[in-house]
Amino acid sequence: MSDTQGSIHDQWSSRFAFILAAIGSAVGLGNIWKFPYIAGENGGGAFVLFYLVCIALIGMPIMMAEILIGRRGRRSPINTMRALVVEEKAHPAWRWLGWLGVVTGLLILSYYSVIAGWALAYVFRAAAGLFTGAAAETVSAQFDALLQSPEAMLAWHTLFMMMTVAVVARGVRSGLERAVTLLMPALFVLLVILVFYALYEGDFARGAAFLFHPDLNKVFQHCELTESGVKACRFSGEPLLIALGHAFFTLSLGMGAIMVYGSYMPSNASIARATLAIVVADTVAALLAGLAIFPIVFANGLEPASGPGLVFQTLPIAFGAMPAGRLFGTLFFVLLVFAAWTSAISLIEPAVAWLVENRGLARIPATLGAGVLAWMLGVGSVLSFNLWSGESFQVFGKTWFELMDYLTANILLPVGGLLIALFAGWVMSRTTSCDELGMGDGPWYRIWRFLVRYVSPSLVVIVFFNAIGLI
Ligand code: TRP
């Protein structure tokens, strides 16, 4: 199917541009902020192993499915689903899949922007030399001071949301995507430098063992620090669901972000190869972040389960002690903000594309509208760390931030991903998917089809029911 009128932009200039944009979307706070802290809360090794299994058996096939659907439809997710429903003579209810993505994207963006705001704040803290020579307690106290200031967090959240809206509204994305070529490799280099620092100055053996030595007893144990600083663990299937949800989150799957990017992909590019490049880059980034952080955690007597502040309470110790740490620290947080920025753009894009294509809005008001909505929802996440952290503000024992994170990463993305797998595997005809993937009808295509029809959907369903205690 070719481009139709009303399609908002043309295709990527090259296959490479698509891969860069998708890596920009995938590599973000999920890799550097979220992965280490949830691995820490869920006991390390076994959790990491299960996360890697999910990436391979669920993430890769579903990413191929999502790109394939996007490229076939060549529109925003909502209209792509509409068009494919007609083309494949599917039930009209499939159209809701596009909607689910728009909503999920805005919900994720709402708290993503708050955490990216922390990273922004840390650019200035690092540049001001605040970490120079700082001990673990000082660094923790500095982080707490940020959490205790709703005004400051709100200001940084607002700034980051404005940055995102500015890029998406003015359509200067191509410039940003070109910058990915330079800045993503720079981020990887800095992560490697940090891993070397951890190797020489941290407790590398313990950090690496924590991440890679699977203790199967631990994967069913979910630990959190209580308000009094005591570690509380309980047994449940929840860590498996958190690992599964994170596989979707970190690869930007399950809500149409990759579908939108796929819709601009040239038809002659290989979907399988692009997927492999994206998945490898994303996984390496997460593992490097883990290897940089946990040796510092153990060398300084910190707690791996200390929650969302983990990165901000560990890496500054390293920057404070290493030569040229002020420069490296500043650069690192600049690159982290940049990585978050290219991810945030893909979270808002499905909503904007829909407003432009279907509501006839111009690009600027459409982006402003979506941005303001996500910003407002984000205020709840700002307050979750201070004024609304108390029990009276919690629902199901979770703060607003935790609720948004749980609802999106552990429920909405897996459900979206499941539906994408079912659509590509069962609803789309074999000829269509085989033709669009363009890798012939050989063993690779058959493996993909088997995974996307049977393996990925059943794993998602099993992990889900296991977590809520039904099996
Ligand atoms: N993958 C990004 C990260 O790891 C976050 C992200 C961007 C995302 N777009 C998404 C997550 C779409 C889910 C769906 O930081």
Side-chain angles (χ1 to χ4, degrees):
M1 191 174 290
S2 62
D3 253 347
T4 50
Q5 277 190 338
S7 176
I8 34 175
H9 12 199
D10 29 40
Q11 298 179 14
W12 300 111
S13 53
S14 68
R15 185 185 57 195
F16 202 51
F18 162 75
I19 296 182
L20 283 180
I23 291 180
S25 164
V27 176
L29 295 172
N31 308 65
I32 290 159
W33 159 75
K34 195 173 181 193
F35 170 73
Y37 102 72
I38 57 176
E41 279 182 346
N42 293 287
F47 176 86
V48 174
L49 180 68
F50 191 72
Y51 155 76
L52 293 174
V53 170
C54 288
I55 294 280
L57 293 185
I58 305 175
M60 295 212 16
I62 295 188
M63 177 169 284
M64 289 173 65
E66 197 172 326
I67 299 175
L68 149 73
I69 293 175
R71 193 166 75 177
R72 191 81 190 166
R74 291 241 181 266
R75 294 166 174 84
S76 72
I78 289 179
N79 292 327
T80 281
M81 288 316 293
R82 283 204 181 143
L84 293 185
V85 157
V86 176
E87 187 181 307
E88 304 286 336
K89 303 190 182 54
H91 193 278
W94 280 104
R95 293 192 318 215
W96 290 101
L97 184 51
W99 278 101
L100 182 70
V102 168
V103 173
T104 311
L106 291 182
L107 292 181
I108 297 180
L109 180 61
S110 77
Y111 66 86
Y112 203 84
S113 165
V114 173
I115 311 296
W118 295 354
L120 266 175
Y122 269 64
V123 170
F124 292 90
R125 289 179 164 198
L130 228 63
F131 309 138
T132 312
E137 302 82 63
T138 319
V139 167
S140 288
Q142 289 169 344
F143 181 69
D144 286 338
L146 175 62
L147 293 195
Q148 291 321 313
S149 169
E151 298 84 5
M153 274 178 63
L154 192 65
W156 294 117
H157 164 52
T158 309
L159 179 60
F160 184 81
M161 196 64 88
M162 282 164 51
M163 285 163 57
T164 305
V165 166
V167 167
V168 177
R170 298 181 49 225
V172 291
R173 228 179 14 184
S174 58
L176 207 64
E177 250 120 46
R178 236 169 287 137
V180 177
T181 347
L182 190 74
L183 297 183
M184 277 294 162
L187 181 64
F188 277 83
V189 169
L190 264 186
L191 282 172
V192 170
I193 293 178
L194 282 166
V195 172
F196 271 103
Y197 176 84
L199 185 61
Y200 289 110
E201 302 290 333
D203 191 342
F204 197 78
R206 245 184 105 189
F210 179 80
L211 271 180
F212 295 120
H213 183 77
D215 175 351
L216 287 180
N217 289 324
K218 276 201 183 141
V219 80
F220 288 106
Q221 204 180 23
H222 183 72
C223 301
E224 266 167 39
L225 284 194
T226 61
E227 282 192 9
S228 49
V230 186
K231 194 161 132 183
C233 299
R234 62 201 153 82
F235 281 90
S236 76
E238 208 173 42
L240 294 183
L241 180 61
I242 295 175
L244 172 88
H246 189 62
F248 285 101
F249 186 90
T250 192
L251 294 175
S252 303
L253 290 182
M255 50 83 44
I258 291 293
M259 205 185 281
V260 172
Y261 282 6
S263 72
Y264 314 140
M265 189 185 188
S267 353
N268 56 358
S270 155
I271 292 181
R273 254 185 252 139
T275 299
L276 193 66
I278 300 162
V279 168
V280 168
D282 188 79
T283 310
V284 169
L287 295 180
L288 284 177
L291 280 176
I293 288 168
F294 285 106
I296 301 176
V297 168
F298 292 115
N300 290 281
L302 297 170
E303 173 55 60
S306 51
L310 188 67
V311 186
F312 297 93
Q313 288 166 322
T314 49
L315 294 187
I317 306 177
F319 295 129
M322 66 169 63
R326 195 160 157 181
L327 176 70
F328 282 143
T330 313
L331 198 58
F332 175 82
F333 285 110
V334 166
L335 294 172
L336 182 59
V337 167
F338 191 83
W341 204 5
T342 52
S343 300
I345 288 167
S346 74
L347 285 165
I348 203 173
E349 183 68 42
V352 174
W354 175 74
L355 286 171
V356 171
E357 286 179 20
N358 291 44
R359 290 276 155 249
L361 255 65
R363 204 157 168 90
I364 294 179
T367 319
L368 272 178
V372 166
L373 192 63
W375 179 85
M376 288 195 303
L377 291 167
V379 174
S381 290
V382 165
L383 299 177
S384 298
F385 293 94
N386 35 67
L387 303 178
W388 289 1
S389 63
E391 261 172 42
S392 51
F393 291 99
Q394 297 183 359
V395 185
F396 303 122
K398 291 189 183 332
T399 61
W400 174 266
F401 159 75
E402 288 165 342
L403 209 62
M404 283 295 118
D405 177 42
Y406 199 92
L407 175 70
T408 53
N410 301 343
I411 300 171
L412 297 178
L413 294 179
V415 167
L418 175 69
L419 295 174
I420 287 170
L422 295 177
F423 191 84
W426 295 92
V427 178
M428 262 193 168
S429 73
R430 196 172 188 287
T431 351
T432 311
S433 65
C434 188
D435 174 52
E436 195 67 42
L437 283 178
M439 49 187 183
D441 196 353
W444 287 113
Y445 174 72
R446 285 173 199 198
I447 292 174
W448 172 78
R449 193 165 152 88
F450 179 73
L451 288 173
V452 97
R453 275 164 79 94
Y454 301 100
V455 180
S456 322
S458 35
L459 271 177
V460 172
V461 171
I462 291 170
V463 170
F464 204 78
F465 283 123
N466 177 48
I468 56 175
L470 287 185
I471 43 175

